[in-house]
Amino acid sequence: KPSILEKIPPERLETFTQETAYVEIPNDIRSLKKSNMNEAIKWRAKTRTLFEQAFQKGYIAKDIVFSKDKKRIFFKLLMSL
């Protein structure tokens, strides 16, 4: 079961200088594709770039976490040892 994310420090969002980092993904990509394909493409391009940067720096995807209201979803990345 994914953990509930209470608060993410801004310096850990989409930055890859800490042991743990978070990359936000769309809550419902299928609906987004149907309603706004251009926005879905932007999300895909952004997340691809972020994941590539993180993996090049040695991070691994460890978990999926949700905001307290469950409206936002993040991949939790950890620096591999």
Side-chain angles (χ1 to χ4, degrees):
K1 180 179 175 183
S3 48
I4 301 299
L5 186 64
E6 296 296 330
K7 182 179 177 184
I8 303 173
E11 67 273 6
R12 288 195 176 175
L13 285 172
E14 300 176 1
T15 60
F16 304 110
T17 59
Q18 307 285 325
E19 183 178 325
T20 304
Y22 298 90
V23 174
E24 186 169 9
I25 59 173
N27 190 359
D28 186 352
I29 192 66
R30 290 183 187 147
S31 293
L32 183 58
K33 284 180 180 180
K34 288 179 183 178
S35 66
N36 190 338
M37 182 58 86
N38 287 334
E39 189 65 22
I41 291 169
K42 287 179 188 176
W43 266 103
R44 179 64 184 113
K46 179 181 178 183
T47 56
R48 179 183 181 145
T49 298
L50 291 170
F51 281 117
E52 286 175 349
Q53 290 173 355
F55 296 150
Q56 287 174 359
K57 291 187 176 186
Y59 285 84
I60 58 171
K62 185 66 177 168
D63 201 357
I64 295 175
V65 294
F66 299 86
S67 61
K68 191 173 184 178
D69 62 7
K70 297 195 177 189
K71 292 182 179 181
R72 297 175 70 196
I73 303 172
F74 300 84
F75 269 94
K76 180 180 180 180
L77 308 177
L78 296 177
M79 179 62 75
S80 62
L81 300 175

mmCIF file with all atom_site columns, all heavy atoms in Angstrom, residues 40-57:
data_model
loop_
_atom_site.group_PDB
_atom_site.id
_atom_site.type_symbol
_atom_site.label_atom_id
_atom_site.label_alt_id
_atom_site.label_comp_id
_atom_site.label_asym_id
_atom_site.label_entity_id
_atom_site.label_seq_id
_atom_site.pdbx_PDB_ins_code
_atom_site.Cartn_x
_atom_site.Cartn_y
_atom_site.Cartn_z
_atom_site.occupancy
_atom_site.B_iso_or_equiv
_atom_site.pdbx_formal_charge
_atom_site.auth_seq_id
_atom_site.auth_comp_id
_atom_site.auth_asym_id
_atom_site.auth_atom_id
_atom_site.pdbx_PDB_model_num
ATOM 1   N N   . ALA A 1 40 ? -1.126 16.672 -21.638 1.00 0.00 ? 40 ALA A N   1
ATOM 2   C CA  . ALA A 1 40 ? -0.624 15.327 -21.358 1.00 0.00 ? 40 ALA A CA  1
ATOM 3   C C   . ALA A 1 40 ? 0.771  15.134 -21.954 1.00 0.00 ? 40 ALA A C   1
ATOM 4   O O   . ALA A 1 40 ? 1.653  14.547 -21.312 1.00 0.00 ? 40 ALA A O   1
ATOM 5   C CB  . ALA A 1 40 ? -1.587 14.279 -21.909 1.00 0.00 ? 40 ALA A CB  1
ATOM 6   N N   . ILE A 1 41 ? 0.994  15.647 -23.139 1.00 0.00 ? 41 ILE A N   1
ATOM 7   C CA  . ILE A 1 41 ? 2.311  15.553 -23.780 1.00 0.00 ? 41 ILE A CA  1
ATOM 8   C C   . ILE A 1 41 ? 3.347  16.348 -22.985 1.00 0.00 ? 41 ILE A C   1
ATOM 9   O O   . ILE A 1 41 ? 4.477  15.887 -22.798 1.00 0.00 ? 41 ILE A O   1
ATOM 10  C CB  . ILE A 1 41 ? 2.230  16.019 -25.251 1.00 0.00 ? 41 ILE A CB  1
ATOM 11  C CG1 . ILE A 1 41 ? 1.417  15.009 -26.061 1.00 0.00 ? 41 ILE A CG1 1
ATOM 12  C CG2 . ILE A 1 41 ? 3.615  16.223 -25.845 1.00 0.00 ? 41 ILE A CG2 1
ATOM 13  C CD1 . ILE A 1 41 ? 1.042  15.477 -27.456 1.00 0.00 ? 41 ILE A CD1 1
ATOM 14  N N   . LYS A 1 42 ? 2.962  17.512 -22.490 1.00 0.00 ? 42 LYS A N   1
ATOM 15  C CA  . LYS A 1 42 ? 3.877  18.314 -21.669 1.00 0.00 ? 42 LYS A CA  1
ATOM 16  C C   . LYS A 1 42 ? 4.270  17.562 -20.396 1.00 0.00 ? 42 LYS A C   1
ATOM 17  O O   . LYS A 1 42 ? 5.435  17.552 -19.993 1.00 0.00 ? 42 LYS A O   1
ATOM 18  C CB  . LYS A 1 42 ? 3.247  19.652 -21.298 1.00 0.00 ? 42 LYS A CB  1
ATOM 19  C CG  . LYS A 1 42 ? 3.172  20.631 -22.446 1.00 0.00 ? 42 LYS A CG  1
ATOM 20  C CD  . LYS A 1 42 ? 2.503  21.919 -21.989 1.00 0.00 ? 42 LYS A CD  1
ATOM 21  C CE  . LYS A 1 42 ? 2.234  22.855 -23.142 1.00 0.00 ? 42 LYS A CE  1
ATOM 22  N NZ  . LYS A 1 42 ? 1.505  24.065 -22.717 1.00 0.00 ? 42 LYS A NZ  1
ATOM 23  N N   . TRP A 1 43 ? 3.282  16.944 -19.742 1.00 0.00 ? 43 TRP A N   1
ATOM 24  C CA  . TRP A 1 43 ? 3.551  16.159 -18.540 1.00 0.00 ? 43 TRP A CA  1
ATOM 25  C C   . TRP A 1 43 ? 4.536  15.044 -18.853 1.00 0.00 ? 43 TRP A C   1
ATOM 26  O O   . TRP A 1 43 ? 5.486  14.792 -18.127 1.00 0.00 ? 43 TRP A O   1
ATOM 27  C CB  . TRP A 1 43 ? 2.264  15.541 -17.986 1.00 0.00 ? 43 TRP A CB  1
ATOM 28  C CG  . TRP A 1 43 ? 1.596  16.337 -16.925 1.00 0.00 ? 43 TRP A CG  1
ATOM 29  C CD1 . TRP A 1 43 ? 0.489  17.116 -17.077 1.00 0.00 ? 43 TRP A CD1 1
ATOM 30  C CD2 . TRP A 1 43 ? 1.953  16.439 -15.550 1.00 0.00 ? 43 TRP A CD2 1
ATOM 31  N NE1 . TRP A 1 43 ? 0.146  17.689 -15.879 1.00 0.00 ? 43 TRP A NE1 1
ATOM 32  C CE2 . TRP A 1 43 ? 1.029  17.288 -14.919 1.00 0.00 ? 43 TRP A CE2 1
ATOM 33  C CE3 . TRP A 1 43 ? 2.973  15.888 -14.783 1.00 0.00 ? 43 TRP A CE3 1
ATOM 34  C CZ2 . TRP A 1 43 ? 1.091  17.597 -13.565 1.00 0.00 ? 43 TRP A CZ2 1
ATOM 35  C CZ3 . TRP A 1 43 ? 3.029  16.199 -13.436 1.00 0.00 ? 43 TRP A CZ3 1
ATOM 36  C CH2 . TRP A 1 43 ? 2.098  17.042 -12.850 1.00 0.00 ? 43 TRP A CH2 1
ATOM 37  N N   . ARG A 1 44 ? 4.279  14.340 -19.950 1.00 0.00 ? 44 ARG A N   1
ATOM 38  C CA  . ARG A 1 44 ? 5.116  13.201 -20.320 1.00 0.00 ? 44 ARG A CA  1
ATOM 39  C C   . ARG A 1 44 ? 6.555  13.650 -20.583 1.00 0.00 ? 44 ARG A C   1
ATOM 40  O O   . ARG A 1 44 ? 7.508  13.013 -20.122 1.00 0.00 ? 44 ARG A O   1
ATOM 41  C CB  . ARG A 1 44 ? 4.532  12.498 -21.551 1.00 0.00 ? 44 ARG A CB  1
ATOM 42  C CG  . ARG A 1 44 ? 5.340  11.327 -22.019 1.00 0.00 ? 44 ARG A CG  1
ATOM 43  C CD  . ARG A 1 44 ? 5.363  10.224 -20.956 1.00 0.00 ? 44 ARG A CD  1
ATOM 44  N NE  . ARG A 1 44 ? 6.220  9.168  -21.379 1.00 0.00 ? 44 ARG A NE  1
ATOM 45  C CZ  . ARG A 1 44 ? 7.375  8.841  -20.787 1.00 0.00 ? 44 ARG A CZ  1
ATOM 46  N NH1 . ARG A 1 44 ? 7.777  9.475  -19.720 1.00 0.00 ? 44 ARG A NH1 1
ATOM 47  N NH2 . ARG A 1 44 ? 8.117  7.877  -21.238 1.00 0.00 ? 44 ARG A NH2 1
ATOM 48  N N   . ALA A 1 45 ? 6.710  14.739 -21.300 1.00 0.00 ? 45 ALA A N   1
ATOM 49  C CA  . ALA A 1 45 ? 8.048  15.240 -21.597 1.00 0.00 ? 45 ALA A CA  1
ATOM 50  C C   . ALA A 1 45 ? 8.771  15.659 -20.317 1.00 0.00 ? 45 ALA A C   1
ATOM 51  O O   . ALA A 1 45 ? 9.956  15.363 -20.128 1.00 0.00 ? 45 ALA A O   1
ATOM 52  C CB  . ALA A 1 45 ? 7.968  16.400 -22.576 1.00 0.00 ? 45 ALA A CB  1
ATOM 53  N N   . LYS A 1 46 ? 8.051  16.348 -19.432 1.00 0.00 ? 46 LYS A N   1
ATOM 54  C CA  . LYS A 1 46 ? 8.656  16.813 -18.181 1.00 0.00 ? 46 LYS A CA  1
ATOM 55  C C   . LYS A 1 46 ? 9.075  15.642 -17.300 1.00 0.00 ? 46 LYS A C   1
ATOM 56  O O   . LYS A 1 46 ? 10.200 15.607 -16.797 1.00 0.00 ? 46 LYS A O   1
ATOM 57  C CB  . LYS A 1 46 ? 7.671  17.704 -17.423 1.00 0.00 ? 46 LYS A CB  1
ATOM 58  C CG  . LYS A 1 46 ? 8.219  18.213 -16.110 1.00 0.00 ? 46 LYS A CG  1
ATOM 59  C CD  . LYS A 1 46 ? 7.206  19.060 -15.373 1.00 0.00 ? 46 LYS A CD  1
ATOM 60  C CE  . LYS A 1 46 ? 7.759  19.507 -14.041 1.00 0.00 ? 46 LYS A CE  1
ATOM 61  N NZ  . LYS A 1 46 ? 6.790  20.275 -13.271 1.00 0.00 ? 46 LYS A NZ  1
ATOM 62  N N   . THR A 1 47 ? 8.187  14.672 -17.124 1.00 0.00 ? 47 THR A N   1
ATOM 63  C CA  . THR A 1 47 ? 8.522  13.546 -16.250 1.00 0.00 ? 47 THR A CA  1
ATOM 64  C C   . THR A 1 47 ? 9.644  12.704 -16.854 1.00 0.00 ? 47 THR A C   1
ATOM 65  O O   . THR A 1 47 ? 10.510 12.218 -16.131 1.00 0.00 ? 47 THR A O   1
ATOM 66  C CB  . THR A 1 47 ? 7.302  12.674 -15.925 1.00 0.00 ? 47 THR A CB  1
ATOM 67  O OG1 . THR A 1 47 ? 6.700  12.216 -17.135 1.00 0.00 ? 47 THR A OG1 1
ATOM 68  C CG2 . THR A 1 47 ? 6.293  13.429 -15.094 1.00 0.00 ? 47 THR A CG2 1
ATOM 69  N N   . ARG A 1 48 ? 9.646  12.550 -18.158 1.00 0.00 ? 48 ARG A N   1
ATOM 70  C CA  . ARG A 1 48 ? 10.721 11.785 -18.794 1.00 0.00 ? 48 ARG A CA  1
ATOM 71  C C   . ARG A 1 48 ? 12.072 12.433 -18.504 1.00 0.00 ? 48 ARG A C   1
ATOM 72  O O   . ARG A 1 48 ? 13.034 11.767 -18.116 1.00 0.00 ? 48 ARG A O   1
ATOM 73  C CB  . ARG A 1 48 ? 10.498 11.689 -20.302 1.00 0.00 ? 48 ARG A CB  1
ATOM 74  C CG  . ARG A 1 48 ? 11.590 10.936 -20.997 1.00 0.00 ? 48 ARG A CG  1
ATOM 75  C CD  . ARG A 1 48 ? 11.397 10.904 -22.490 1.00 0.00 ? 48 ARG A CD  1
ATOM 76  N NE  . ARG A 1 48 ? 12.470 10.136 -23.089 1.00 0.00 ? 48 ARG A NE  1
ATOM 77  C CZ  . ARG A 1 48 ? 12.330 9.377  -24.134 1.00 0.00 ? 48 ARG A CZ  1
ATOM 78  N NH1 . ARG A 1 48 ? 11.163 9.282  -24.733 1.00 0.00 ? 48 ARG A NH1 1
ATOM 79  N NH2 . ARG A 1 48 ? 13.349 8.719  -24.615 1.00 0.00 ? 48 ARG A NH2 1
ATOM 80  N N   . THR A 1 49 ? 12.146 13.743 -18.694 1.00 0.00 ? 49 THR A N   1
ATOM 81  C CA  . THR A 1 49 ? 13.390 14.467 -18.439 1.00 0.00 ? 49 THR A CA  1
ATOM 82  C C   . THR A 1 49 ? 13.817 14.319 -16.981 1.00 0.00 ? 49 THR A C   1
ATOM 83  O O   . THR A 1 49 ? 14.988 14.051 -16.694 1.00 0.00 ? 49 THR A O   1
ATOM 84  C CB  . THR A 1 49 ? 13.216 15.961 -18.789 1.00 0.00 ? 49 THR A CB  1
ATOM 85  O OG1 . THR A 1 49 ? 12.914 16.066 -20.181 1.00 0.00 ? 49 THR A OG1 1
ATOM 86  C CG2 . THR A 1 49 ? 14.460 16.756 -18.475 1.00 0.00 ? 49 THR A CG2 1
ATOM 87  N N   . LEU A 1 50 ? 12.878 14.487 -16.074 1.00 0.00 ? 50 LEU A N   1
ATOM 88  C CA  . LEU A 1 50 ? 13.197 14.383 -14.646 1.00 0.00 ? 50 LEU A CA  1
ATOM 89  C C   . LEU A 1 50 ? 13.682 12.985 -14.265 1.00 0.00 ? 50 LEU A C   1
ATOM 90  O O   . LEU A 1 50 ? 14.660 12.831 -13.541 1.00 0.00 ? 50 LEU A O   1
ATOM 91  C CB  . LEU A 1 50 ? 11.999 14.782 -13.798 1.00 0.00 ? 50 LEU A CB  1
ATOM 92  C CG  . LEU A 1 50 ? 11.630 16.254 -13.852 1.00 0.00 ? 50 LEU A CG  1
ATOM 93  C CD1 . LEU A 1 50 ? 10.284 16.486 -13.171 1.00 0.00 ? 50 LEU A CD1 1
ATOM 94  C CD2 . LEU A 1 50 ? 12.713 17.102 -13.203 1.00 0.00 ? 50 LEU A CD2 1
ATOM 95  N N   . PHE A 1 51 ? 12.988 11.959 -14.760 1.00 0.00 ? 51 PHE A N   1
ATOM 96  C CA  . PHE A 1 51 ? 13.410 10.593 -14.447 1.00 0.00 ? 51 PHE A CA  1
ATOM 97  C C   . PHE A 1 51 ? 14.781 10.291 -15.041 1.00 0.00 ? 51 PHE A C   1
ATOM 98  O O   . PHE A 1 51 ? 15.624 9.667  -14.388 1.00 0.00 ? 51 PHE A O   1
ATOM 99  C CB  . PHE A 1 51 ? 12.379 9.571  -14.921 1.00 0.00 ? 51 PHE A CB  1
ATOM 100 C CG  . PHE A 1 51 ? 11.202 9.439  -13.997 1.00 0.00 ? 51 PHE A CG  1
ATOM 101 C CD1 . PHE A 1 51 ? 9.933  9.772  -14.425 1.00 0.00 ? 51 PHE A CD1 1
ATOM 102 C CD2 . PHE A 1 51 ? 11.354 8.981  -12.694 1.00 0.00 ? 51 PHE A CD2 1
ATOM 103 C CE1 . PHE A 1 51 ? 8.843  9.652  -13.577 1.00 0.00 ? 51 PHE A CE1 1
ATOM 104 C CE2 . PHE A 1 51 ? 10.273 8.862  -11.839 1.00 0.00 ? 51 PHE A CE2 1
ATOM 105 C CZ  . PHE A 1 51 ? 9.014  9.198  -12.289 1.00 0.00 ? 51 PHE A CZ  1
ATOM 106 N N   . GLU A 1 52 ? 15.032 10.735 -16.255 1.00 0.00 ? 52 GLU A N   1
ATOM 107 C CA  . GLU A 1 52 ? 16.343 10.517 -16.867 1.00 0.00 ? 52 GLU A CA  1
ATOM 108 C C   . GLU A 1 52 ? 17.445 11.180 -16.042 1.00 0.00 ? 52 GLU A C   1
ATOM 109 O O   . GLU A 1 52 ? 18.498 10.584 -15.803 1.00 0.00 ? 52 GLU A O   1
ATOM 110 C CB  . GLU A 1 52 ? 16.363 11.032 -18.306 1.00 0.00 ? 52 GLU A CB  1
ATOM 111 C CG  . GLU A 1 52 ? 15.595 10.149 -19.263 1.00 0.00 ? 52 GLU A CG  1
ATOM 112 C CD  . GLU A 1 52 ? 15.500 10.711 -20.677 1.00 0.00 ? 52 GLU A CD  1
ATOM 113 O OE1 . GLU A 1 52 ? 15.842 11.899 -20.899 1.00 0.00 ? 52 GLU A OE1 1
ATOM 114 O OE2 . GLU A 1 52 ? 15.074 9.963  -21.569 1.00 0.00 ? 52 GLU A OE2 1
ATOM 115 N N   . GLN A 1 53 ? 17.209 12.412 -15.608 1.00 0.00 ? 53 GLN A N   1
ATOM 116 C CA  . GLN A 1 53 ? 18.193 13.120 -14.776 1.00 0.00 ? 53 GLN A CA  1
ATOM 117 C C   . GLN A 1 53 ? 18.434 12.371 -13.476 1.00 0.00 ? 53 GLN A C   1
ATOM 118 O O   . GLN A 1 53 ? 19.576 12.198 -13.044 1.00 0.00 ? 53 GLN A O   1
ATOM 119 C CB  . GLN A 1 53 ? 17.719 14.536 -14.474 1.00 0.00 ? 53 GLN A CB  1
ATOM 120 C CG  . GLN A 1 53 ? 17.726 15.461 -15.650 1.00 0.00 ? 53 GLN A CG  1
ATOM 121 C CD  . GLN A 1 53 ? 17.068 16.805 -15.319 1.00 0.00 ? 53 GLN A CD  1
ATOM 122 O OE1 . GLN A 1 53 ? 16.532 17.011 -14.240 1.00 0.00 ? 53 GLN A OE1 1
ATOM 123 N NE2 . GLN A 1 53 ? 17.091 17.713 -16.285 1.00 0.00 ? 53 GLN A NE2 1
ATOM 124 N N   . ALA A 1 54 ? 17.351 11.945 -12.849 1.00 0.00 ? 54 ALA A N   1
ATOM 125 C CA  . ALA A 1 54 ? 17.466 11.253 -11.561 1.00 0.00 ? 54 ALA A CA  1
ATOM 126 C C   . ALA A 1 54 ? 18.206 9.927  -11.720 1.00 0.00 ? 54 ALA A C   1
ATOM 127 O O   . ALA A 1 54 ? 19.113 9.610  -10.933 1.00 0.00 ? 54 ALA A O   1
ATOM 128 C CB  . ALA A 1 54 ? 16.080 11.012 -10.970 1.00 0.00 ? 54 ALA A CB  1
ATOM 129 N N   . PHE A 1 55 ? 17.855 9.152  -12.722 1.00 0.00 ? 55 PHE A N   1
ATOM 130 C CA  . PHE A 1 55 ? 18.493 7.846  -12.907 1.00 0.00 ? 55 PHE A CA  1
ATOM 131 C C   . PHE A 1 55 ? 19.971 8.007  -13.254 1.00 0.00 ? 55 PHE A C   1
ATOM 132 O O   . PHE A 1 55 ? 20.806 7.219  -12.811 1.00 0.00 ? 55 PHE A O   1
ATOM 133 C CB  . PHE A 1 55 ? 17.759 7.032  -13.961 1.00 0.00 ? 55 PHE A CB  1
ATOM 134 C CG  . PHE A 1 55 ? 16.334 6.677  -13.576 1.00 0.00 ? 55 PHE A CG  1
ATOM 135 C CD1 . PHE A 1 55 ? 15.370 6.519  -14.543 1.00 0.00 ? 55 PHE A CD1 1
ATOM 136 C CD2 . PHE A 1 55 ? 15.950 6.522  -12.246 1.00 0.00 ? 55 PHE A CD2 1
ATOM 137 C CE1 . PHE A 1 55 ? 14.061 6.194  -14.206 1.00 0.00 ? 55 PHE A CE1 1
ATOM 138 C CE2 . PHE A 1 55 ? 14.643 6.199  -11.898 1.00 0.00 ? 55 PHE A CE2 1
ATOM 139 C CZ  . PHE A 1 55 ? 13.699 6.034  -12.882 1.00 0.00 ? 55 PHE A CZ  1
ATOM 140 N N   . GLN A 1 56 ? 20.313 9.049  -14.012 1.00 0.00 ? 56 GLN A N   1
ATOM 141 C CA  . GLN A 1 56 ? 21.717 9.304  -14.329 1.00 0.00 ? 56 GLN A CA  1
ATOM 142 C C   . GLN A 1 56 ? 22.516 9.660  -13.080 1.00 0.00 ? 56 GLN A C   1
ATOM 143 O O   . GLN A 1 56 ? 23.716 9.398  -13.013 1.00 0.00 ? 56 GLN A O   1
ATOM 144 C CB  . GLN A 1 56 ? 21.844 10.430 -15.357 1.00 0.00 ? 56 GLN A CB  1
ATOM 145 C CG  . GLN A 1 56 ? 21.433 10.019 -16.741 1.00 0.00 ? 56 GLN A CG  1
ATOM 146 C CD  . GLN A 1 56 ? 21.424 11.184 -17.722 1.00 0.00 ? 56 GLN A CD  1
ATOM 147 O OE1 . GLN A 1 56 ? 21.708 12.327 -17.366 1.00 0.00 ? 56 GLN A OE1 1
ATOM 148 N NE2 . GLN A 1 56 ? 21.070 10.899 -18.964 1.00 0.00 ? 56 GLN A NE2 1
ATOM 149 N N   . LYS A 1 57 ? 21.859 10.238 -12.094 1.00 0.00 ? 57 LYS A N   1
ATOM 150 C CA  . LYS A 1 57 ? 22.537 10.602 -10.846 1.00 0.00 ? 57 LYS A CA  1
ATOM 151 C C   . LYS A 1 57 ? 22.515 9.475  -9.818  1.00 0.00 ? 57 LYS A C   1
ATOM 152 O O   . LYS A 1 57 ? 22.993 9.643  -8.703  1.00 0.00 ? 57 LYS A O   1
ATOM 153 C CB  . LYS A 1 57 ? 21.913 11.865 -10.250 1.00 0.00 ? 57 LYS A CB  1
ATOM 154 C CG  . LYS A 1 57 ? 22.212 13.100 -11.083 1.00 0.00 ? 57 LYS A CG  1
ATOM 155 C CD  . LYS A 1 57 ? 21.721 14.342 -10.384 1.00 0.00 ? 57 LYS A CD  1
ATOM 156 C CE  . LYS A 1 57 ? 22.114 15.580 -11.197 1.00 0.00 ? 57 LYS A CE  1
ATOM 157 N NZ  . LYS A 1 57 ? 21.791 16.803 -10.483 1.00 0.00 ? 57 LYS A NZ  1
#
